[in-house]
Amino acid sequence: MKTRINQLKKFVLLTSVNSKESKWVPWERGLADGYKKLDNMALFPAVDDKRQTSWTLWEYLGLYNRIVFGSLIGYEKSVRMVLDERKNTAIELSCWLRAY
């Protein structure tokens, strides 16, 4: 697992409201954090209601970019994007995945 996380160019962590209770989620996130730059990591919050995302900003989760669905300048339709709330910027998900 450690070797594979290190080899990846990008790291996406599927998270939920219960991620804090997991033994594996913080461990995997910590490994990736040690190997990757913040710009190469993103959380993919699993939510039942897109308005219930405040938990994604809890403690360490708020440090990372999030994959969200919404309007992005330059796109006619809503898209999945990687949102950097610290910089107030976003990039379309497929572009982010291809970028280094």
Side-chain angles (χ1 to χ4, degrees):
M1 176 84 66
K2 290 180 186 181
T3 302
R4 187 64 187 135
I5 290 173
N6 189 26
Q7 292 170 342
L8 298 170
K9 294 175 184 163
K10 301 287 185 176
F11 184 80
V12 175
L13 183 65
L14 179 67
T15 58
S16 74
V17 71
N18 297 317
S19 291
K20 285 173 53 173
E21 307 307 320
S22 169
K23 293 179 183 179
W24 292 105
V25 171
W27 181 79
E28 290 174 342
R29 190 240 3 120
L31 278 176
D33 190 79
Y35 295 137
K36 313 277 174 246
K37 295 180 181 178
L38 280 180
D39 290 340
N40 291 324
M41 295 179 60
L43 302 179
F44 190 9
V47 295
D48 292 328
D49 182 340
K50 66 181 178 180
R51 295 169 292 189
Q52 295 178 341
T53 59
S54 61
W55 61 268
T56 64
L57 302 175
W58 290 345
E59 299 172 25
Y60 63 84
L61 295 179
L63 299 173
Y64 302 97
N65 297 337
R66 286 184 294 133
I67 297 173
V68 299
F69 187 75
S71 299
L72 184 60
I73 294 173
Y75 292 83
E76 291 181 27
K77 297 181 179 182
S78 294
V79 296
R80 292 230 182 265
M81 65 187 116
V82 177
L83 174 65
D84 182 337
E85 288 192 315
R86 295 176 318 278
K87 297 177 185 174
N88 196 30
T89 60
I91 182 172
E92 198 267 330
L93 179 59
S94 65
C95 294
W96 179 80
L97 288 169
R98 287 190 302 267
Y100 288 100

